[in-house]
Amino acid sequence: MAAAALAFTEKRELPRDEVDYRARAVGADAQPLSLQVVNMSAQGLMARIVGERPVGERLRITLPVVGVIGAEVRWSLGGRIGCELDRPIGMAEYYELLAALLKGVR
């Protein structure tokens, strides 16, 4: 699994911005999840999570500015997950989101 995570990391098109934001999400089982988003880009994010989530699982993550956005778990390792967003966030909206995340806005 570590090699898969590394391979995915090397394919990133955009650098990630460091954040520290507690987000709410819903997994495929419709159960609420709490994510600690630690970095993100306009195309994806990495978060800490209690337990493991299966690769390929679909999540619905609630973020400021963009609201609920769909994402797919691309890797899961040691209480961390990497997700690819269903759609890239436009850059103007992304910078507004990033500002809200850095301020800790809910």
Side-chain angles (χ1 to χ4, degrees):
M1 187 62 69
L6 180 59
F8 185 72
T9 300
E10 291 171 354
K11 293 179 187 176
R12 285 188 193 144
E13 294 177 22
L14 297 174
R16 296 281 174 104
D17 292 299
E18 299 297 319
V19 298
D20 185 20
Y21 183 80
R22 185 166 302 282
R24 294 186 188 121
V26 176
D29 57 4
Q31 294 299 309
L33 304 168
S34 179
L35 306 177
Q36 189 69 34
V37 179
V38 296
N39 70 42
M40 79 174 304
S41 73
Q43 297 176 337
L45 60 84
M46 183 179 83
R48 288 191 299 265
I49 189 166
V50 174
E52 296 290 322
R53 303 311 294 189
V55 171
E57 181 178 20
R58 309 282 312 144
L59 303 178
R60 301 209 28 90
I61 302 169
T62 302
L63 296 169
V65 179
V66 298
V68 177
I69 191 163
E72 179 181 343
V73 176
R74 299 298 298 237
W75 60 266
S76 179
L77 180 66
R80 294 179 300 144
I81 58 173
C83 297
E84 180 178 9
L85 302 179
D86 285 351
R87 62 170 173 81
I89 300 168
M91 291 315 291
E93 190 176 32
Y94 175 71
Y95 287 124
E96 188 178 345
L97 167 63
L98 187 58
L101 294 177
L102 292 173
K103 288 181 184 176
V105 172
R106 298 271 176 225

